[in-house]
Amino acid sequence: RSHAFLDTMSEVNDPKKCLKCKGGGQILQSFNFMNMTMQLPLQCDSCGGAGWTVPCQACQGKGVQTQVVGFGPMTQQVQVNCSACHGWGKLAAARQSPTKRKRVDAMTVVEMKEELRKMKRKVTGNKAELQERLGEVFETNDRGWVRRGTSAFSTIGYLESGTFRDVYVGTYTKGPRKNLKGVFKVFKDKKAEVLIHEDLKAVEEAGRIIKAFNEHNDLYIGSTARRRVYLNQPEVWSLTSGQQVLVEPFIDGTYAKFNSNSGWVNEGYNMMQALSHFSYDFTNGQHLLCDLQGGGYDTHYVLTDPAVLSKKQEFGATDGGKKMMQNFFAHHVCNEYCHPSWRRMERPKVVAPARSGTSFFPMAQRSTAMDAFRNDKFNRW
């Protein structure tokens, strides 16, 4: 459905202008003196004179922290004022507006090239080509170039491990991303390589949903455009040993997990929670995009390794089906990015603990040898 809407709120972690002093840090207080009314500037008591603030990360904006205090052999948890923000729940930020983001169709050629350069994408071409490149959801190994020959990759070192895969970071030594960082994911057990097609299927559906979400956000009317969302698209490469691995671009900056596939939410990333809610509405209640993680930047997000929940459990190991869709909506609180017209699951209920890590689910309705291998690794609720 097509509609335009007005929303003046920004992402939770963006600098916020104090509504009381309108960002100036001072308010005018009236005083009566000798039958005269005088107005004197005083420090704003709402923002402490900062004018612009950001949520305190140490206390998650609550102003208090929990400490364990010992009384002889006994201990007790007490709440004390946060030492970082001194109980304010927020910290001073630069007295300026958040980044003035623009919709792609409102950018100049110079602005589009600068944005593409930040994203390490191809920057040549005419205006229409640049617009199309910025609108492309997938972050790929070819950066938007026509690849001549094969790309190559050298391993730098180990990054992390998951249930099925070890992840390594390295550098592209050939191809459009030469000298840039990338990651490759190696399955611990060769049997698990059959799960590759499930990963790629989930990424493809996630890309379709994200493209529609970006188009929805282009209808936003406000002083600044909303962040765009992009998604790493892994490629299947074969090692000299014949082993198959997944290769994709490295996500620079601070990496964060925004929500999980069991209903857990990282508060402060409202746009990401809205993306999950949008996916349910966009697919007519059939799919729900979640387990969102990646990098957040001034103008965009880059995600990787998402999960897609479906009523038919058609997206593999991380697809918890209708039960986990219920779990999501049992925990989800609509925010400023959620549109009132979006459908929700009726009478959702908590069916399992909400965990920050990725959950894996057994395929009880099937009985192949591969399913038996998978089920040994998966959570059982």
Side-chain angles (χ1 to χ4, degrees):
R1 57 178 79 82
S2 176
H3 49 262
F5 52 94
L6 178 66
D7 178 14
T8 58
M9 298 186 72
S10 58
E11 189 74 302
V12 173
N13 289 328
D14 283 344
K16 296 290 193 303
K17 182 180 5 180
C18 176
L19 298 178
K20 189 169 184 177
C21 67
K22 302 189 184 306
Q26 293 183 329
I27 55 174
L28 294 176
Q29 182 70 49
S30 297
F31 293 94
N32 292 322
F33 178 72
M34 297 179 64
N35 296 324
M36 298 175 60
T37 301
M38 303 177 63
Q39 288 190 322
L40 298 177
L42 298 176
Q43 177 178 291
C44 177
D45 59 356
S46 178
C47 64
W52 290 83
T53 60
V54 291
C56 175
Q57 296 300 307
C59 64
Q60 299 297 310
K62 298 175 182 177
V64 294
Q65 293 175 308
T66 301
Q67 287 187 352
V68 178
V69 179
F71 298 96
M74 301 175 61
T75 59
Q76 182 180 1
Q77 288 188 338
V78 297
Q79 286 191 332
V80 298
N81 278 351
C82 174
S83 58
C85 65
H86 306 290
W88 280 92
K90 47 198 172 187
L91 300 171
R95 295 187 185 183
Q96 58 185 19
S97 299
T99 301
K100 290 291 185 181
R101 295 181 289 272
K102 289 186 176 182
R103 286 183 290 274
V104 173
D105 58 7
M107 290 182 182
T108 66
V109 169
V110 172
E111 289 170 334
M112 284 191 284
K113 286 187 175 182
E114 180 60 28
E115 190 66 14
L116 287 166
R117 193 170 287 110
K118 290 178 185 176
M119 298 174 63
K120 300 180 177 65
R121 290 189 175 187
K122 182 180 177 182
V123 297
T124 57
N126 59 38
K127 186 172 183 178
E129 291 171 332
L130 298 176
Q131 283 182 334
E132 182 179 356
R133 206 167 296 136
L134 277 174
E136 174 55 52
V137 166
F138 288 118
E139 284 282 282
T140 61
N141 289 319
D142 61 22
R143 298 176 58 206
W145 290 82
V146 176
R147 191 182 304 175
R148 293 178 174 83
T150 58
S151 295
F153 199 83
S154 66
T155 305
I156 292 177
Y158 169 82
L159 189 62
E160 63 178 1
S161 288
T163 302
F164 292 106
R165 300 177 300 197
D166 292 320
V167 184
Y168 299 86
V169 64
T171 302
Y172 296 90
T173 56
K174 285 176 61 179
R177 286 190 178 269
K178 184 178 179 179
N179 297 326
L180 297 178
K181 285 185 180 180
V183 297
F184 73 93
K185 303 167 184 180
V186 183
F187 285 91
K188 298 177 181 178
D189 192 309
K190 192 169 179 61
K191 295 179 185 177
E193 288 183 17
V194 298
L195 303 179
I196 285 178
H197 79 279
E198 296 178 350
D199 284 357
L200 299 181
K201 184 178 179 181
V203 167
E204 199 65 35
E205 175 63 2
R208 186 178 76 93
I209 292 168
I210 290 170
K211 181 177 177 61
F213 185 67
N214 287 340
E215 292 171 352
H216 163 81
N217 282 333
D218 280 343
L219 301 174
Y220 164 73
I221 302 172
S223 58
T224 184
R226 290 182 167 179
R227 286 177 172 88
R228 301 180 303 280
V229 184
Y230 298 100
L231 176 65
N232 269 358
Q233 185 176 46
E235 281 186 320
V236 181
W237 288 14
S238 294
L239 304 180
T240 53
S241 63
Q243 186 177 12
Q244 289 187 319
V245 299
L246 291 173
V247 180
E248 64 183 55
F250 180 79
I251 295 178
D252 290 312
T254 302
Y255 190 95
K257 182 129 185 188
F258 308 121
N259 64 26
S260 75
N261 60 340
S262 62
W264 174 85
V265 166
N266 186 354
E267 294 183 8
Y269 297 100
N270 286 1
M271 189 175 182
M272 292 292 95
Q273 316 319 328
L275 170 55
S276 292
H277 186 175
F278 170 85
S279 67
Y280 185 80
D281 180 74
F282 175 69
T283 61
N284 297 315
Q286 297 303 305
H287 301 159
L288 195 150
L289 175 63
C290 55
D291 210 32
L292 303 179
Q293 54 198 303
Y297 310 97
D298 287 341
T299 57
H300 63 280
Y301 287 98
V302 179
L303 306 180
T304 185
D305 277 342
V308 178
L309 307 178
S310 64
K311 289 188 174 179
K312 297 180 180 180
Q313 274 193 279
E314 55 190 291
F315 292 98
T318 55
D319 184 353
K322 187 176 179 180
K323 286 186 176 180
M324 288 302 107
M325 295 168 105
Q326 283 190 337
N327 230 40
F328 171 83
F329 280 108
H331 292 92
H332 177 66
V333 177
C334 283
N335 58 63
E336 66 270 23
Y337 293 98
C338 298
H339 197 274
S341 68
W342 292 352
R343 61 173 55 83
R344 292 178 61 99
M345 182 171 276
E346 294 184 6
R347 297 182 296 277
K349 59 183 179 180
V350 176
V351 297
R355 302 189 287 204
S356 60
T358 302
S359 298
F360 297 86
F361 305 95
M363 305 296 288
Q365 70 271 28
R366 303 195 329 233
S367 58
T368 66
M370 186 59 213
D371 291 327
F373 164 76
R374 289 163 36 148
N375 290 355
D376 285 341
K377 307 285 186 182
F378 295 167
N379 301 316
R380 299 179 181 276
W381 303 108

